[in-house]
Amino acid sequence: MDKTLLKTFIVGIFLGAAATGAGLYLVPLVDQERERSIIDVTPNGGNKEVFYANIPDDRIMIGAPNQTSPVPVGLAWPSGEFLANTRTELFKIRNAEDIVVGVASRIAASSEEGALIEWTLHLPARGSVYVLMRPKGQEDSFRRGDLRSGTREFSGWEGEVSEQWVADSTGLKEAPAGRIELITSFVASAEDES
């Protein structure tokens, strides 16, 4: 092989790699748009944010044994004794301005040892939140839970999330219709502040 051709080939590889890198830097493949966060500052220095899912419109999936009308239609939920008392749901979640800002999963399970309800919220461009709820609701009809883990923006935070069902009062939609409200109340953890 001619030395000039080999040198041209090697220079071409380096120039091609540099041009590709510059192109990806200047024109990113994914331009994740972030909605404005609607956060209220609380007296303890933390923040409060409200998310909700309209039911049935924002329900993406519901999986449970013996479903009469699964979402999506035709979903075949696996059978098995270990899944007998479980329910899994996926939702689009909205902010206070009714804009879809992410997705959330809700898993409920019960056994002889007790019950479990957990939420995972994923907000693209912000991070994810994992919450373990107390299975029984409070007197004010809220179910409360603790933030167990968070990523990116929510990393190093602690606090609680409350869940409440708000029934549709218009009567325009077939029951059950309404929305699930999730109210987050987070503050930076003591280790994070030092």
Side-chain angles (χ1 to χ4, degrees):
M1 181 181 268
D2 185 18
K3 287 186 178 185
T4 307
L5 186 59
L6 181 62
K7 288 179 183 177
T8 304
F9 177 71
I10 292 172
V11 168
I13 289 175
F14 285 117
L15 288 176
T20 302
L24 289 173
Y25 177 77
L26 296 172
V27 183
L29 293 175
V30 176
D31 187 15
Q32 189 77 48
E33 184 177 328
R34 178 181 167 161
E35 284 296 325
R36 178 177 66 87
S37 301
I38 304 169
I39 298 173
D40 292 327
V41 178
T42 58
N44 66 353
N47 62 53
K48 177 180 148 186
E49 198 167 359
V50 179
F51 301 101
Y52 64 91
N54 291 323
I55 305 299
D57 301 334
D58 291 338
R59 183 178 276 141
I60 300 168
M61 188 215 59
I62 181 168
N66 306 317
Q67 276 286 61
T68 55
S69 48
V71 175
V73 175
L75 174 70
W77 191 250
S79 61
E81 194 173 314
F82 69 99
L83 292 172
N85 295 316
T86 63
R87 180 182 178 102
T88 302
E89 298 175 272
L90 294 175
F91 304 97
K92 294 183 279 186
I93 54 172
R94 300 175 180 272
N95 64 10
E97 293 179 344
D98 200 32
I99 298 170
V100 175
V101 293
V103 293
S105 69
R106 181 180 189 272
I107 298 173
S110 61
S111 68
E112 294 173 2
E113 289 85 33
L116 164 80
I117 296 175
E118 58 186 30
W119 279 92
T120 303
L121 283 71
H122 177 66
L123 307 167
R126 291 184 67 189
S128 298
V129 173
Y130 171 70
V131 178
L132 188 58
M133 306 295 278
R134 294 174 197 80
K136 297 208 187 234
Q138 308 291 314
E139 289 115 26
D140 56 5
S141 77
F142 280 86
R143 179 178 285 129
R144 299 186 194 285
D146 298 315
L147 171 66
R148 295 295 185 164
S149 182
T151 63
R152 296 174 56 190
E153 182 178 315
F154 305 103
S155 179
W157 289 79
E158 58 186 30
E160 73 172 23
V161 175
S162 62
E163 167 195 338
Q164 180 182 23
W165 170 255
V166 179
D168 178 33
S169 58
T170 64
L172 299 174
K173 294 183 179 182
E174 191 176 315
R179 68 184 191 181
I180 299 172
E181 284 188 350
L182 297 170
I183 302 169
T184 66
S185 181
F186 299 149
V187 65
S189 65
E191 300 109 33
D192 203 46
E193 291 175 348
S194 54

